[in-house]
Amino acid sequence: MEKQEKLKMAAPLVELDGDEMTRILWAWVKEYLIEPFVELKTEYYDLGLEERERTHDEITVRAAEAIKRHGVGVKCATITPNDERVKEYGLTEMYKSPNGTIRAILDGTVFRAPILAKGITPYIPTWRKPITIARHAYGDIYKNTETRVDKGASAALLVGGETLPIFNFKDTGGVVQGVHNTDESITSFARACFAYALSTKQDLWFGAKDTISKIYDRRFRDIFEDVYRAEYQDAFREAGLEYFYSLIDDVIARVIRSEGGFIWACKNYDGDVMSDMVATAYGSLAMMTSVLVSPHGWTEYEAAHGTVQRHYYKHKKGEPTSTNSVATIFAWSGALKKRAELDALPRLAAFAEAMELATLKTIEDGLMTGDLYAISRLEHKQQVSSETFLLEAAQRLSAIGY
Ligand code: NAP
Ligand code: MG
C-alpha cells in the first residue's frame, strides 16, 4: 500500500512525561506508533522527578493548568517520592503525588476499564465482561493533613466555632489525620458515574462504609441517591438499567461472584486499591485504561500502573526488559481520540482506533510481554522484549493501511 501523508492535528495534546521504565516506553510509543503516522502536536511538560525538583514541583501545577487550557492531557507514570526516593534523587522536599496534585486541580472521576484480549483469560472465570471502576479523584486521604502526635497531647477537630475531640494520647504517642470532601465534588462524581453508566448502557454499583462512617460516608450515599432520584431514575428505567447501593464489603463480595459488565463507583481510596485488584485479575496491571473526566469537561488519559522500577533498573544495566506498554499505548490512543472528537477529525479518530487494534492483534498473534506470556492460553505464544512488541505493533499498524 502506498505510504499515506501524515495525519494532521488541529490543537495540541498536553503531554506529561514521567519516570523510569514508563518514560522509556513513552518515548518508544511516540517514536514507533505515532510519529511515523501523525504530525504530532503536543505541549510538553516534563514531570520526571529531576524536573519536579528543579522547579520545586511548579511544573506539575503548570501542566494541570495547561490541561485546563487545551482540554486534553496524556500522562506518563511518575514516581511519588518516599524516603528512599528522596535519597536516590537528592530531593530537597518529599513532593506530593503528581496525580494527587493534578486531580485536586481538575477534580473529577477516574474511569478504569480492563483491556480484553483473546487468549488472556481473567483469573476469575465468571468475569466474562469488563468491570469498569469509576474512582472519585478528589479529596479523602489524597488531600489530607496528618501528623504524628506525642504522648500527652490530645487531638481535636476544629470546625467553624466547634471543637470535636478525636483522641487523648495520654498514655502513648500516635498519629492523626484530617480529611475532607465537598458536596460539590461528590455531586459531580455521582453525575459522572450515572452519565457514564447510561452512555455505556451498564448498571451502576456503589458501595461505601456508611454503617461505620455515619456522616462522612453517609453523605456520599445520600448525594448519590438524591442525584439519582432527581436526574437519572427515569432514564435508567427507560434503558433497563439499575442503580444499586450496598455496603462496600457486600459490593466487593458481589463483584467477585458477578459476571462483570457494570460500572463500579468507588470512593478515592477504594478505587485506588480495587482497580489494581481488578486489573490484575483481568490479566495484568498494564491491561487497563484510565481516564480522568473532570466535571468542567477536561480529560486526562494515563496508564493505571506505576513506573515499573524493577524493570527500569534492569534496563539501566543494559538488559532487555519485557515490560507491557499496552496501557501507555491506550493512554495515547484515548487522548488522540478525544482530541479528534473535540476538533472534528474523524481520520485521526480512526487512526487512534487502529493503534488499539494493531496492539491487540500483536497479542492475539501470540507476541506478548512477560506478564501476559505467564498467563496466556495461546498455544503459539512467544515472549518478546518491550521494544520488539512495539515494533511488531507498528508493523501491524502499517499493514492496516497507515
Ligand atoms: P508498578 O510500577 O506498578 O510495578 C509493580 C509491579 O507490577 C512491577 O514490578 C511488575 O511486576 C508489575 N508491572 C506493573 N506495570 C507493569 C507493566 N507495564 N509491565 C509489566 N509488569 C508490570 O508499582 P511500584 O513498583 O510499586 O511503583 C513504582 C513507582 O511507580 C513508585 O515510585 C510509585 O510512586 C509510582 N507509581 C506511579 C503511579 C502513576 O503515576 N500512575 C501509579 C502507581 C505507582 P514484576 O516486577 O513482577 O515484573
Ligand atoms: Mg493503585
Side-chain angles (χ1 to χ4, degrees), residues 20 25 75-80 85 99 285-286 302-311 322-325 371:
E20 298 195 314
L25 297 179
K75 180 180 173 292
C76 180
T78 46
I79 291 169
T80 298
R85 301 300 202 160
N99 290 323
L285 282 178
E302 53 163 17
H305 59 76
T307 60
V308 212
Q309 181 181 20
R310 196 182 68 79
H311 296 207
S322 189
T323 318
N324 189 330
S325 53
D371 55 332

CSV table of all heavy atoms in Angstrom, one decimal, residues 20 25 75-80 85 99 285-286 302-311 322-325 371, ligand 1:
chain,number,residue,atom,x,y,z
A,20,GLU,N,11.3,6.6,34.9
A,20,GLU,CA,11.8,5.2,34.9
A,20,GLU,C,11.3,4.5,33.7
A,20,GLU,O,11.4,5.0,32.6
A,20,GLU,CB,11.4,4.5,36.2
A,20,GLU,CG,12.0,5.2,37.4
A,20,GLU,CD,12.0,4.5,38.7
A,20,GLU,OE1,10.9,3.9,39.1
A,20,GLU,OE2,13.0,4.4,39.4
A,25,LEU,N,9.3,3.6,27.8
A,25,LEU,CA,8.1,3.2,26.9
A,25,LEU,C,7.5,4.3,26.2
A,25,LEU,O,7.1,4.3,25.0
A,25,LEU,CB,7.1,2.4,27.7
A,25,LEU,CG,7.5,1.1,28.4
A,25,LEU,CD1,6.3,0.6,29.2
A,25,LEU,CD2,8.0,0.1,27.5
A,75,LYS,N,-0.8,11.4,30.3
A,75,LYS,CA,0.3,11.4,31.3
A,75,LYS,C,1.0,10.1,31.4
A,75,LYS,O,0.3,9.0,31.5
A,75,LYS,CB,-0.4,11.8,32.7
A,75,LYS,CG,0.7,11.8,33.8
A,75,LYS,CD,0.1,12.2,35.1
A,75,LYS,CE,1.1,12.0,36.2
A,75,LYS,NZ,1.5,10.6,36.5
A,76,CYS,N,2.3,10.2,31.5
A,76,CYS,CA,3.1,9.0,31.8
A,76,CYS,C,3.1,8.8,33.3
A,76,CYS,O,2.9,9.7,34.1
A,76,CYS,CB,4.5,9.4,31.3
A,76,CYS,SG,5.8,8.1,31.6
A,77,ALA,N,3.4,7.5,33.7
A,77,ALA,CA,3.5,7.3,35.2
A,77,ALA,C,4.7,8.0,35.8
A,77,ALA,O,5.7,8.3,35.1
A,77,ALA,CB,3.7,5.8,35.4
A,78,THR,N,4.5,8.4,37.0
A,78,THR,CA,5.5,9.3,37.7
A,78,THR,C,5.8,8.7,39.1
A,78,THR,O,4.9,8.0,39.7
A,78,THR,CB,5.0,10.7,37.9
A,78,THR,OG1,3.7,10.6,38.4
A,78,THR,CG2,5.1,11.5,36.6
A,79,ILE,N,7.0,8.9,39.6
A,79,ILE,CA,7.3,8.5,40.9
A,79,ILE,C,6.7,9.4,41.9
A,79,ILE,O,6.7,10.6,41.8
A,79,ILE,CB,8.9,8.6,41.1
A,79,ILE,CG1,9.6,7.6,40.3
A,79,ILE,CG2,9.2,8.4,42.6
A,79,ILE,CD1,11.1,7.8,40.2
A,80,THR,N,6.0,8.8,42.9
A,80,THR,CA,5.6,9.5,44.1
A,80,THR,C,6.7,9.3,45.1
A,80,THR,O,6.9,8.2,45.6
A,80,THR,CB,4.3,9.0,44.7
A,80,THR,OG1,3.3,9.2,43.7
A,80,THR,CG2,3.9,9.8,45.9
A,85,ARG,N,13.3,7.5,47.7
A,85,ARG,CA,13.4,8.3,46.5
A,85,ARG,C,14.1,9.7,46.8
A,85,ARG,O,14.8,10.2,46.0
A,85,ARG,CB,12.1,8.6,45.9
A,85,ARG,CG,11.3,7.3,45.5
A,85,ARG,CD,12.1,6.5,44.5
A,85,ARG,NE,11.1,5.6,43.8
A,85,ARG,CZ,11.4,5.1,42.6
A,85,ARG,NH1,12.6,5.3,42.1
A,85,ARG,NH2,10.5,4.3,42.0
A,99,ASN,N,-0.2,12.9,40.6
A,99,ASN,CA,-1.6,12.6,40.2
A,99,ASN,C,-2.5,13.3,41.2
A,99,ASN,O,-3.6,13.8,40.9
A,99,ASN,CB,-1.9,11.1,40.3
A,99,ASN,CG,-1.2,10.4,39.1
A,99,ASN,OD1,-1.2,10.9,38.0
A,99,ASN,ND2,-0.6,9.2,39.3
A,285,LEU,N,-1.7,-5.5,35.4
A,285,LEU,CA,-1.8,-4.1,35.7
A,285,LEU,C,-1.8,-3.2,34.4
A,285,LEU,O,-2.3,-2.1,34.3
A,285,LEU,CB,-0.7,-3.6,36.6
A,285,LEU,CG,-0.8,-3.9,38.1
A,285,LEU,CD1,0.4,-3.4,38.8
A,285,LEU,CD2,-2.1,-3.3,38.7
A,286,ALA,N,-1.1,-3.7,33.4
A,286,ALA,CA,-0.9,-2.9,32.2
A,286,ALA,C,-2.0,-3.2,31.2
A,286,ALA,O,-2.0,-2.6,30.1
A,286,ALA,CB,0.5,-3.3,31.6
A,302,GLU,N,-4.1,8.2,31.1
A,302,GLU,CA,-2.9,7.8,31.7
A,302,GLU,C,-2.9,6.2,31.8
A,302,GLU,O,-3.9,5.6,31.4
A,302,GLU,CB,-2.8,8.3,33.2
A,302,GLU,CG,-4.1,8.0,34.0
A,302,GLU,CD,-4.0,8.1,35.5
A,302,GLU,OE1,-3.0,8.7,36.0
A,302,GLU,OE2,-4.8,7.5,36.1
A,303,ALA,N,-1.8,5.7,32.2
A,303,ALA,CA,-1.8,4.2,32.5
A,303,ALA,C,-2.0,4.1,34.0
A,303,ALA,O,-1.6,5.0,34.8
A,303,ALA,CB,-0.4,3.6,32.1
A,304,ALA,N,-2.7,3.1,34.4
A,304,ALA,CA,-3.0,3.0,35.8
A,304,ALA,C,-1.9,2.4,36.7
A,304,ALA,O,-1.9,2.6,37.9
A,304,ALA,CB,-4.3,2.1,36.0
A,305,HIS,N,-0.9,1.8,36.0
A,305,HIS,CA,0.2,1.2,36.8
A,305,HIS,C,1.3,2.3,37.1
A,305,HIS,O,1.2,3.4,36.6
A,305,HIS,CB,0.8,0.0,36.1
A,305,HIS,CG,1.3,0.3,34.7
A,305,HIS,ND1,2.5,0.9,34.5
A,305,HIS,CD2,0.8,0.0,33.5
A,305,HIS,CE1,2.7,1.0,33.2
A,305,HIS,NE2,1.7,0.5,32.5
A,306,GLY,N,2.3,1.9,37.8
A,306,GLY,CA,3.4,2.8,38.2
A,306,GLY,C,4.5,2.8,37.2
A,306,GLY,O,4.4,2.4,36.0
A,307,THR,N,5.7,3.2,37.6
A,307,THR,CA,6.9,3.4,36.7
A,307,THR,C,7.7,2.1,36.5
A,307,THR,O,8.7,2.2,35.8
A,307,THR,CB,7.8,4.5,37.3
A,307,THR,OG1,8.2,4.0,38.6
A,307,THR,CG2,7.0,5.8,37.5
A,308,VAL,N,7.2,1.0,37.0
A,308,VAL,CA,7.8,-0.3,36.9
A,308,VAL,C,9.4,-0.2,37.2
A,308,VAL,O,10.2,-0.6,36.3
A,308,VAL,CB,7.6,-0.9,35.5
A,308,VAL,CG1,7.5,-2.4,35.6
A,308,VAL,CG2,6.3,-0.4,34.9
A,309,GLN,N,9.7,0.2,38.4
A,309,GLN,CA,11.0,0.4,38.8
A,309,GLN,C,11.9,-0.8,38.6
A,309,GLN,O,13.1,-0.6,38.2
A,309,GLN,CB,11.0,0.8,40.3
A,309,GLN,CG,12.3,1.1,41.0
A,309,GLN,CD,12.1,1.4,42.5
A,309,GLN,OE1,11.1,1.0,43.1
A,309,GLN,NE2,13.1,2.1,43.0
A,310,ARG,N,11.5,-2.0,39.0
A,310,ARG,CA,12.3,-3.2,38.9
A,310,ARG,C,12.8,-3.4,37.5
A,310,ARG,O,14.0,-3.7,37.2
A,310,ARG,CB,11.5,-4.4,39.4
A,310,ARG,CG,12.4,-5.6,39.7
A,310,ARG,CD,11.5,-6.8,40.1
A,310,ARG,NE,10.7,-7.3,39.0
A,310,ARG,CZ,11.2,-8.2,38.1
A,310,ARG,NH1,12.4,-8.5,38.1
A,310,ARG,NH2,10.4,-8.6,37.1
A,311,HIS,N,11.9,-3.2,36.5
A,311,HIS,CA,12.3,-3.3,35.1
A,311,HIS,C,13.3,-2.3,34.7
A,311,HIS,O,14.2,-2.5,33.9
A,311,HIS,CB,11.1,-3.3,34.2
A,311,HIS,CG,10.1,-4.4,34.4
A,311,HIS,ND1,9.3,-4.9,33.4
A,311,HIS,CD2,9.8,-5.2,35.5
A,311,HIS,CE1,8.5,-5.9,33.9
A,311,HIS,NE2,8.9,-6.1,35.2
A,322,SER,N,10.9,-6.9,29.4
A,322,SER,CA,9.7,-7.3,28.7
A,322,SER,C,8.6,-6.6,29.5
A,322,SER,O,7.7,-7.3,30.1
A,322,SER,CB,9.6,-8.8,28.7
A,322,SER,OG,8.5,-9.2,27.9
A,323,THR,N,8.6,-5.3,29.4
A,323,THR,CA,7.6,-4.5,30.1
A,323,THR,C,6.4,-4.2,29.1
A,323,THR,O,6.6,-3.9,28.0
A,323,THR,CB,8.2,-3.1,30.5
A,323,THR,OG1,9.5,-3.4,31.0
A,323,THR,CG2,7.3,-2.5,31.6
A,324,ASN,N,5.2,-4.4,29.7
A,324,ASN,CA,4.0,-4.2,28.9
A,324,ASN,C,3.6,-2.8,28.7
A,324,ASN,O,3.4,-2.0,29.6
A,324,ASN,CB,2.9,-4.9,29.6
A,324,ASN,CG,1.6,-5.1,28.8
A,324,ASN,OD1,1.3,-4.2,28.0
A,324,ASN,ND2,0.8,-6.1,29.1
A,325,SER,N,3.5,-2.4,27.4
A,325,SER,CA,3.3,-1.0,27.1
A,325,SER,C,1.8,-0.7,26.7
A,325,SER,O,1.5,0.4,26.3
A,325,SER,CB,4.2,-0.5,25.9
A,325,SER,OG,4.0,-1.4,24.8
A,371,ASP,N,4.5,-10.5,31.4
A,371,ASP,CA,3.3,-10.5,32.3
A,371,ASP,C,2.2,-11.3,31.6
A,371,ASP,O,1.5,-12.1,32.3
A,371,ASP,CB,2.9,-9.1,32.6
A,371,ASP,CG,2.7,-8.2,31.4
A,371,ASP,OD1,3.3,-8.4,30.4
A,371,ASP,OD2,1.8,-7.3,31.5
B,1,NAP,P1,4.4,-0.6,39.5
B,1,NAP,O1,5.3,0.3,38.8
B,1,NAP,O2,3.0,-0.6,39.1
B,1,NAP,O3,5.0,-2.0,39.4
B,1,NAP,C1,4.8,-3.1,40.3
B,1,NAP,C2,5.0,-4.4,39.6
B,1,NAP,O4,3.9,-4.7,38.8
B,1,NAP,C3,6.2,-4.4,38.7
B,1,NAP,O5,7.4,-4.7,39.4
B,1,NAP,C4,5.8,-5.5,37.7
B,1,NAP,O6,5.9,-6.8,38.3
B,1,NAP,C5,4.3,-5.3,37.6
B,1,NAP,N1,4.0,-4.3,36.5
B,1,NAP,C6,3.5,-3.0,36.6
B,1,NAP,N2,3.4,-2.5,35.4
B,1,NAP,C7,3.8,-3.3,34.5
B,1,NAP,C8,4.0,-3.3,33.1
B,1,NAP,N3,3.6,-2.2,32.4
B,1,NAP,N4,4.5,-4.4,32.5
B,1,NAP,C9,4.9,-5.5,33.2
B,1,NAP,N5,4.8,-5.6,34.5
B,1,NAP,C10,4.3,-4.5,35.2
B,1,NAP,O7,4.4,-0.2,41.0
B,1,NAP,P2,5.6,0.1,42.1
B,1,NAP,O8,6.9,-0.7,41.6
B,1,NAP,O9,5.1,-0.2,43.4
B,1,NAP,O10,5.9,1.6,41.9
B,1,NAP,C11,7.0,2.1,41.2
B,1,NAP,C12,6.8,3.6,41.2
B,1,NAP,O11,5.6,4.0,40.5
B,1,NAP,C13,6.7,4.2,42.6
B,1,NAP,O12,7.7,5.3,42.7
B,1,NAP,C14,5.3,4.8,42.6
B,1,NAP,O13,5.3,6.0,43.4
B,1,NAP,C15,4.9,5.0,41.2
B,1,NAP,N6,3.5,4.9,40.8
B,1,NAP,C16,3.0,5.8,39.9
B,1,NAP,C17,1.7,5.7,39.5
B,1,NAP,C18,1.3,6.7,38.5
B,1,NAP,O14,1.9,7.7,38.2
B,1,NAP,N7,0.1,6.5,37.9
B,1,NAP,C19,0.9,4.7,40.0
B,1,NAP,C20,1.4,3.8,40.9
B,1,NAP,C21,2.7,3.9,41.3
B,1,NAP,P3,7.2,-7.7,38.2
B,1,NAP,O15,8.3,-7.0,38.9
B,1,NAP,O16,6.8,-9.0,38.9
B,1,NAP,O17,7.6,-7.9,36.7
